[in-house]
Amino acid sequence: MSESSMTRPPTAAAHHTSLGVDNRKLGVWTFIGSETMFFATLITTYFVFAPVNRARPDFQDPRKFLDIELTTVLASILLASSLTMVLALSASRRGDRRSFTTWLLATVGLGLAFIGGQVYEFNHLYHEGLTLSSSLFGTTFFVLTGFHGAHVAVGVIWLLSVFFKVRAYPDSPENAMDVEIAGLYWHFVDLVWVAIFVLVYLI
Amino acid sequence: MAIAERTAGTVSIPVVNVRPGWAGWLSTTDHKRIGIMYLVSAFVFFLIGGIEALLMRIQLGVPDNTFLTPDVYNQLFTMHGTTMIFLGLMPLNVGLGNYLVPLMIGARDMAFPRLNALSIWLFIFGGLMLYVSFFVGGAPNVGWFAYAPLTQKQYSPTAGVDYWIIGIGLTGVASIAGALNFIVTILNMRAPGMTLNRMPLFVWMQLVVAFILIFAFPVLTVATIQLLFDRHFGTRFFLPNLGGDVVLWQHLFWFFGHPEVYILILPTMGIISEVLPTFSRKPIFGYAFVAYSGVAIGFLGFLVWAHHMFAVGLGPLANAFFGAASFLVAVPTGVKIFNWLATMWQGSLNLTTAMHYAIGFISMFIIGGISGVTLASPPINVQQTDSYYVVAHMHYVLFGGAIQGIFAGIFYWFPKMTGRMLDERLGKWQFWLMLISFNLTFFPMHLSGNAGMPRRIYTYEADMGWNLWNLISTTGSLLLAVAFLLFLWNVVTSIRRGPIAPADPWDGATLEWAVSSPPPVYNFAVTPRVRSRRPLWDQKYPHLREINSGHGMSGAHNESEKRDGFEHETSPAMEPIHLPSPTYAPLIVSVGIMILGFGIIYLSDFGLIAASAMIVGLLIMAFGILSWVRISHVDSPHHAH
Amino acid sequence: MAGHSEEHSAHAHPSDRFYWIVAGVLAVVTALEIGLFIVNEQHLIAKWLEVTLLLILSTIKGAAVVMFFMHLKGDAGIFKFVFLVPLAFATTLLLSFMVLFSDHVGIAG
Ligand SMILES: [Cu+2]
């Protein structure tokens, strides 16, 4: 131990952690664990109310309102953004700045496209008569998907901030980790959509 | 760069650029200062919560009293419960943890010092927002668990419930950020040799609590968001006339609420597990059991929430399940008590004030635990639910238990934090006065509760048979106030002219006693190397080492390792001490979030003004985050020195 | 741990080609889900069977995202702990609430 610490560069001490993992990465994973409970509660509420909605006189049928084609597009966008995200990380680790820029901005673009699609969907549903207060379906659907959309928006801001940080300090050794933890959050948001897609739109 | 270095011997001691006076506190990222800020602000809130309780006790002292109006009484019991739990007990534990965890594991600071600063500011602002409600139409008056549909706009038209939601929300974000920080710090910032199985039990319990918090709090967050939407944006989650479900609120609230009890009590069990061995001059009996039973309690805590809902009518199957699961909790808890008793058994007891409180904790917690077991039985629970018996039970657990545990911790670590000793004699006076008056206040509530007195009533008629018990309770509560005044006096005088505290006044076993009192800003000039659970005892009493450590050292270790329980890392001169710079960024972000919160409360009533406030809040937040990102880049260990 | 280190580094940085393959599988599974959904609007198979198949397919999707895009497979055990434990709690929450509310449909029922 003492021998290796003699040969370590001075900054290596900051890297040394008890579990050998990065502090921020561990923090983001823990945060993702917490967010899992957050969305689980929203989804649980949706399921508790689904049969009540069906039994009520102001019943609104999810099958009649939700458009499977638009949903398919939204789901594909987020899945594709997960691919571009992981390619951006891979490029960042290689030090390939050009393809990093391409893939990261592609991810941001896909994220924005998802938000745009959701705005379109909400607007469409609103004109069809589905609102927060029109039925239990409206109440639970908009709060669940709305909070997911807000998470996508936060993810876009996070990715953009990483992009500008990397551009300002292209040689910072922390860049790959910055990209990785933003990516973890991004994939998690995609993961939540995988769940919402099947539980709300398909079942 | 905030740090200049000068060399002292082989170690480079950092000179940290701490801003003087108030600016130093407002911009601090030092876990010790943040810990003190937590303790002081939480204690202020705690005193306010105590005053609220006193007012209620005065009202209930005699029958048909008109000292308080019913509405004010409702506001007081709501604020008392909310304050004591979210603004008192929780942050007192967090404050102790913030100060001590890095010291105990041999770290220089928390893993995320700026996030730590954000937590303290969000906590303070969340608490202040809750109290703003008193001045803008009335505090929340729906009980600390805010049952639906009473919380809906038609029954609670003032903004009190909204302030409750946002106040709890801000402290909730603070708690989650804080828990995240504890988890990463404890798991990842331990000094070399400080394995999980060598960590002080206080650190263990803080780790368990951080996990419980991270997993339980989001459920409350979602429930309160849904309530907010019900009140302002037309949803119907908890509006039964539109198909909403009031029982869902109860389930969500208690899914969080029961683990919350462990968030309050487990850290104090950790405190006891440090204080008892030190003053029994013996290692803790069954270290592993105390640690792992804490984990077991944490897990079980997620499976018992509906024991708060036996009167709802969930059906015999659900009641039986939740009753049985609740009984199970008594097993790891009960064995913990035997661990503590066995620790004291045949020890040479040093009955300091802290030790008094530790023993007080055990005895009062046993009473609260036993009344808890009775309440876990559905048929008994149905008789006692919503009666003063429940009030008695939870105060035996949270006051007789948690508060006494926290006092044990304060008397134990005050010298470390301030460099001054508290007056032990005065402390013992306070202990006895508190113990007697606590029992005077709360024991009669078992009896008035069993005589049928419901909770949350603002007055009662003279012929109910509750007069005597209430009079005794009120007398006891006034004496309790005197006990707290004694403590305040003790703190104020001791900080000024108490005896100077040495580094290790109690002959402690853990790392915080290895550094000066108060510790230097960088905690450890050289990172310690840990070789056992009781590094300081092993160093001070090498001949007892084999007995102490339980597992003798193998011959593979060299002489110096045999001599010292811990030693300093070699070649420290190679590694400059790196401390985070002070920054206002977390404070700015918190201010932005608070303004955002005010905007949300008034969004549906004053659309334009509130929306502008929200935008201002967001802009302040954005500015704060920008300066945060900049300082964290400059501060990063990779940045050139 | 030492025995895993080789495997670990192999998993830590897979090639871009691998990511494209994973994405292709995800696309196929999504197509299967939607196909199943559309085809069964004719009620060809029982609803419970459709739901089961959909849940299996989306579990595969989610697992692929977590294991390969988030690199949880082959990454440090602590990450698995802080994600899988709350996932277990979340599942408990969902299932237990569905049981608790199964014959409780508010005043509508
Ligand atoms: Cu409970």
Side-chain angles (χ1 to χ4, degrees), chain B residues 24-93:
Chain B
W25 292 93
L26 295 178
S27 64
T28 190
T29 48
D30 177 2
H31 74 95
K32 297 182 288 300
R33 285 192 155 209
I34 291 173
I36 288 172
M37 285 160 76
Y38 260 114
L39 287 169
V40 170
S41 51
F43 201 76
V44 170
F45 281 123
F46 181 80
L47 290 181
I48 295 172
I51 291 167
E52 286 158 356
L54 269 187
L55 293 175
M56 287 190 288
R57 270 329 309 173
I58 291 170
Q59 164 68 16
L60 291 176
V62 290
D64 296 311
N65 202 352
T66 53
F67 175 66
L68 299 173
T69 65
D71 185 48
V72 169
Y73 189 87
N74 290 349
Q75 296 179 24
L76 287 179
F77 72 64
T78 304
M79 291 297 276
H80 169 71
T82 308
T83 302
M84 289 311 202
I85 285 166
F86 292 103
L87 310 179
L89 283 179
M90 265 174 95
L92 281 171
N93 284 326

Side-chain angles (χ1 to χ4, degrees), chain B residues 146-230:
Chain B
Y147 272 6
L150 185 59
T151 44
Q152 295 290 352
K153 199 121 192 171
Q154 62 196 107
Y155 308 113
S156 300
T158 70
V161 173
D162 302 317
Y163 278 96
W164 184 83
I165 293 170
I166 300 294
I168 299 294
L170 292 199
T171 59
V173 176
S175 299
I176 287 180
L180 213 129
N181 221 335
F182 274 119
I183 289 173
V184 177
T185 305
I186 295 170
L187 289 179
N188 225 17
M189 305 273 288
R190 284 166 282 135
M194 176 64 81
T195 58
L196 288 177
N197 275 318
R198 287 177 184 162
M199 286 196 314
L201 286 164
F202 178 69
V203 180
W204 255 110
M205 292 305 113
Q206 288 279 347
L207 179 65
V208 173
V209 163
F211 273 115
I212 298 176
L213 211 148
I214 279 273
F215 302 153
F217 234 95
V219 181
L220 177 71
T221 309
V222 168
T224 51
I225 287 173
Q226 290 170 338
L227 176 60
L228 187 79
F229 270 70
D230 272 7

